[in-house]
Amino acid sequence: MDLTPNSEQEALLSATADWCHDNMPLEQARSRHPALWNQLADMGWLGMTAPGMDLDHATEALVFAELGRHLAPVGMISSAVAARWSGHQGKTALALLDRDLTGGLLRVYDAPGATHALGLVGGLAALTALPSDLGGEPGLDLSAPLAHIDPAPPFTALGDPRAALHLQLLSAAFATGVADAARDMAAEYAKIREQFERPIGWFQALKHICADMAVRAAVAKSQLLYAACALDAGDADAGFHVASAKHLADQAAIDNGRANIQVHGGIGMTDEAYPHLCLKRAHLLTFVAPPERAVILGEAA
Amino acid sequence: MDIQFSTEEQRFREECRDWLHANVPADKRPMDAADAIGFDKAWQRRLFDAGWAGINWPSQYGGRGLSIVQQVIWLEEYARAHAPWIGANFVGVNHGGPTLIINASEAQKEYHLPRILKGEAIWCQGFSEPGAGSDLAGIKTRGRVEGNELVINGSKIWTSFAHVADWQELVLRTEEGSQRHRGLSWVICDMHAPGIEIRPIRKISGQIEFAQVFYDDVRIPLENVVGGLGNGWKVAMSTLSFERGTGFIADQVKQSQEIEELIDRARATGAINDDRIAEALMQMRAEVAALRAMTYRNISEVVRNGQPGPEASVIRLFTAELGQRLDRMGLLLAGDDILDFRYGDDNHIADYLRGFAGTIAGGSSQIQRDIIAERVLGLPKSR
Ligand SMILES: Cc1cc2nc3c(=O)[nH]c(=O)nc-3n(C[C@H](O)[C@H](O)[C@H](O)COP(=O)(O)OP(=O)(O)OC[C@H]3O[C@@H](n4cnc5c(N)ncnc54)[C@H](O)[C@@H]3O)c2cc1C
């Protein structure tokens, strides 16, 4: 039993952080360069657990939390799942169905350049082919182009039920990253913004908001890593652990996203500042592989 | 990273389970400290004789010299077997002993550590005073050096198990006129020494478990100072790191048991069909899982780096508040039965009332939040 990264994982993590800092800063989340996707593929992040690289989910979850902290494109989640379970390499768009099975409206994120989209259909991960000219405009989340297809085209389910858990795990990792980003942004601002002749972080009311953000982020991160290990181990409770990780990560991302705006005051309400990017990403992620109550309560078969 | 235990650890877990299955006492631990002391001592002795006391303490002082992971496995099985609360041995086993292991002289360790493990010596913690609670550096109890003795005057309060204790972790001001963190010493105080008066205090749960202690010219040999005269703050901080860090693992582990029991009760009574109750139970089941993950992360950190990371204070705060929500759910499920509660009852209502200690004792949740903000996030110090 060991829930701390080993030295290789540490090295990978700090290399990821450095790369993101230089090439994919959060501050540019709403104007990502089209060439970014080729770079992400070159870095190997779209197929970490796929045949060829064969890394474990624990390593992948660590890295995806770091990518999520920089508001990396959401299509990375669907791409990684497709690469692992369907052999579709490269970019696979993220599909969200507004109904559980077929028909209804389909939302597609990060479609440009992708031939397929992956989403959850009736509890299983499934793929659909995309029209070649599908583009999109940002919706609530400003970091990804969103396209609509109505009615949704048919999907082909991937055979392995673990693909759905993988999707839930990686979206939990992204949400954990958002919670981390919001915590750090709030703490940094609380150190530099001065009122009443001192940094606002001196005031206990703000300290305690920030401390609660740290607690939520630590809770989410710990459960994320445990869930990833459970999935790696083929643990009988892996479904419960991944669902719990997603539930806590979504909560942490939304609550920290909101708290971060509060800590920023007026500037936090502006389109120009960055806090809303975290909050909006958090809201989008709650719709990706949402956890089921029965699974967390241990009632599901 | 992995969550698998080694074959050796799994075998150890089975040993724990088998022994607990055969040996957990059938009778319930009495509620009040004075009634429970015989029970607590006998149970600790049995644990010691069977090799379950001080699992990760050095073997030269009576421990088993095993890993902290094995200690956690033991605690997990302990909770699962509904073994009794450690009670009066809490201070000695969970922070008095560990403080001595790091800070004490060889003679002090040789004398005290085996006695703690055998349940022969009960310890209490004399940190808080009427005027110094959250602000521990405001300690006024003083010890005047006279020859090779300290002459002690003052008062401590909220001292758990003081009236049944043999020894005390006593932090006092040994340098006259010294301010705040300076001039303090951490002393092993003999609770049977002349000049000590103990007034037990009843809690809102009805239990008599803590006390106010008065010191009137109490003489303690200077050789009982731990870590050197004037170094009390540093030693006290190491005590608190054990109390707040690894000391509460047993509580954390117990919460996994509690949430399952609450869910079973909610199913049995049909309360789970109420959406709000199902939602709250779901929330807590996920959080209890995360708490275990945090505890494992913390333990892994200790194994890797020799000490818990700064996130220990995060775990402490989270455990305390989660514990109180679990207690409140127990209360909710008990319905109007709670109205019949009487002092002496040891049930969910008593748990709920006792549970207020979680966010007050060992540093309140407000103080823990300050610590997290300042030490984990680096916000400016305001005190
Ligand atoms: C069941 C129980 C057992 C205990 N056992 C022991 C024991 O064995 N040995 C021992 O030494 N002590 C013991 N204590 C004492 C415990 O450590 C203190 O109660 C605790 O440190 C708080 O101190 P206080 O009670 O003086 O409250 P105060 O410090 O007066 O606090 C009152 C309120 O003010 C808040 N507050 C105080 N300062 C600040 C601040 N700077 N910012 C924000 N809020 C603040 C607190 O959070 C609290 O809500 C025990 C307490 C309890 C409840």
Side-chain angles (χ1 to χ4, degrees), chain A residues 204 208, chain B residues 91 95 124-136 156-161 169 203 209-210 243-244 354 356-367 370 383:
Chain A
Q204 211 174 35
H208 290 193
Chain B
V91 171
H95 51 85
C124 64
Q125 178 184 33
F127 281 28
S128 307
E129 297 183 359
S134 299
D135 188 10
L136 186 58
K156 294 285 173 179
I157 196 166
W158 321 128
T159 315
S160 301
F161 299 105
E169 312 168 332
K203 293 186 193 171
E209 208 169 63
F210 55 19
E243 183 180 0
R244 293 170 183 173
R354 269 197 284 266
F356 279 80
T359 52
I360 300 173
S364 74
S365 289
Q366 285 68 44
I367 298 301
D370 277 5
R383 282 177 283 119

Side-chain angles (χ1 to χ4, degrees), chain A residues 201-203 207, chain B residues 181 370-371 373-375 378-383:
Chain A
W202 182 91
F203 296 99
K207 256 183 197 169
Chain B
H181 316 85
D370 277 5
I371 292 176
E374 291 170 9
R375 303 205 195 135
L379 296 189
K381 273 183 82 79
S382 33
R383 282 177 283 119

Side-chain angles (χ1 to χ4, degrees), chain A residues 215-229:
Chain A
V215 173
R216 287 189 288 261
V219 166
K221 177 71 71 60
S222 300
Q223 183 58 21
L224 174 74
L225 298 181
Y226 193 97
C229 291

